[in-house]
Amino acid sequence: MSTKDFIEKDFYKVLGVPKDATEAEIKKAYRKLAREFHPDANKGNAKAEERFKEISEANDVLGDPKKRKEYDEARALFGNGGFRPGPGAGGGSFNFDLGDLFGGQAGGQQAGGFGGGLGDVFGGLFNRGGAGTTRTQPRRGQDIESEVTLSFTEAIEGATVPLRMSSQAPCKACSGTGDKNGTPRVCPTCVGTGQVARGSGGGFSLTDPCPDCKGRGLIAEEPCEICKGSGRAKSSRTMQVRIPAGVSDGQRIRLRGKGAPGERGGPAGDLYVVVHVGAHPVFGRKDDNLTVTVPVTFAEAALGGEVRVPTLGGPPVTLKLPPGTPNGRTMRARGKGAVRKDGSRGDLLVTVEVSVPKDVSGKARDALEAYREATADDDPRAELFQAAKGA
Ligand SMILES: [Zn+2]
Ligand SMILES: [Zn+2]
């Protein structure tokens, strides 16, 4: 159905109400007509079926204050049925479509829109959300929570991992109708509106979700065995998910639009993934930086020297050890750490650990003995004892 057709339809006439009818009057008129022309009461009567569709269609628009306003404005703009784009003069330039006018509703309806089978009229009702959502408006998909375990290296470099997720979706067995045969009937309590009045207070009329149909507007004749009449089912799917580089253990990342699909043209929800990161035998992690402990000999620490240090996923780097490097000193290899959000890398923090040989023999022993002799006059504990006396 084109916008033009839609605007040319006089929904007020269909429901038999004046243009300035109140919400209550529209509701009342719709209920009366819906009862009269309901397919259940008119089995095999194609005319009644057609009329019922028109009534539902009119109510979908006029029964929703926001859509009614848009409809009224569109009709005021183009005249009552007088929307006749002139040749050339903007003929094709009315660029809004049904989706704009009616909140994306057309996108969610099957091709043919309201003109299609009875199922199209029900289409909006079936996928109804909880209380408060309007049945013909696009609905954002649910957010989904999931978790994933990455190896240390995968977390640093990013990884594409399969993620199994389950979400609520319309039940396939009953096409989301909740009815075994796919032919639910309109709920008599709320006449398909899904809402019942709670009485009025201070001029506001309050509504509750209909208790009989749980706000769906429909009642299953025979409940679907798969979804127990709810019309909703758990569907699970496996998705390849790209985890960005640089995530850390316990981090919760948000993947926009990777959640449950939206309904009636609504956007998909988001996927939240809690990341668990395994340990690495050599490297540790401190924010954007990686850490590694490197053994050096006493001679290297005392005399200085060049020390080869392994990096994660890259060639080793050579670190210049200055003479007299104390045990436990941490040095920095720039750009060899974890990947940051902007693609740059943190640093590799290299901690020097002077290793003491278990056995010293031969020339090394001779040299060490000579060293002891040469340093016999230096008491490394002199300061300690001095300090212990004071204070
Ligand atoms: Zn109901
Ligand atoms: Zn079902």
Side-chain angles (χ1 to χ4, degrees), residues 347-376:
D347 302 331
L348 176 60
L349 304 179
V350 184
T351 301
V352 166
E353 189 183 69
V354 176
S355 68
V356 178
K358 271 200 182 119
D359 266 320
V360 189
S361 56
K363 271 172 87 177
R365 187 170 188 97
D366 295 345
L368 213 50
E369 294 281 11
Y371 174 78
R372 176 150 69 180
E373 207 118 307
T375 57

Side-chain angles (χ1 to χ4, degrees), residues 310-328:
T311 64
L312 187 74
V317 290
T318 301
L319 220 65
K320 269 206 162 65
L321 222 56
T325 299
N327 182 48

Side-chain angles (χ1 to χ4, degrees), residues 198-215:
R198 195 203 281 172
S200 54
F204 291 97
S205 71
L206 302 168
T207 57
D208 278 328
C210 173
D212 290 346
C213 61
K214 309 273 187 296

Side-chain angles (χ1 to χ4, degrees), residues 171-179 224-233:
C171 171
K172 280 203 180 85
C174 61
S175 310
T177 63
D179 186 88
C224 165
E225 283 156 14
I226 307 296
C227 64
K228 307 275 181 281
S230 70
R232 312 283 295 168

Side-chain angles (χ1 to χ4, degrees), residues 70-241:
E70 287 168 343
Y71 170 74
D72 285 345
E73 283 168 1
R75 275 179 69 87
L77 253 182
F78 301 116
N80 294 351
F83 175 49
R84 299 276 185 270
S93 69
F94 290 98
N95 269 339
F96 66 96
D97 59 13
L98 264 184
D100 294 334
L101 252 187
F102 301 103
Q105 158 184 301
Q109 296 271 359
Q110 271 142 33
F114 292 107
L118 194 56
D120 291 335
V121 175
F122 284 121
L125 294 170
F126 291 156
N127 296 324
R128 216 182 141 76
T133 56
T134 308
R135 60 175 178 262
T136 45
Q137 273 178 356
R139 188 157 164 255
R140 185 177 171 275
Q142 280 181 313
D143 291 339
I144 298 177
E145 290 272 353
S146 188
E147 47 189 353
V148 69
T149 299
L150 300 181
S151 75
F152 189 87
T153 308
E154 285 175 325
I156 300 292
E157 297 182 340
T160 301
V161 292
L163 212 58
R164 195 176 156 75
M165 288 174 304
S166 56
S167 61
Q168 291 288 321
C171 171
K172 280 203 180 85
C174 61
S175 310
T177 63
D179 186 88
K180 193 179 172 187
N181 306 310
T183 53
R185 62 196 169 89
V186 172
C187 171
T189 309
C190 61
V191 205
T193 63
Q195 297 187 333
V196 289
R198 195 203 281 172
S200 54
F204 291 97
S205 71
L206 302 168
T207 57
D208 278 328
C210 173
D212 290 346
C213 61
K214 309 273 187 296
R216 282 158 48 80
L218 295 169
I219 285 183
E221 211 68 73
E222 260 186 282
C224 165
E225 283 156 14
I226 307 296
C227 64
K228 307 275 181 281
S230 70
R232 312 283 295 168
K234 257 212 154 111
S235 79
S236 39
R237 58 199 165 123
T238 300
M239 213 166 78
Q240 296 295 321
V241 171

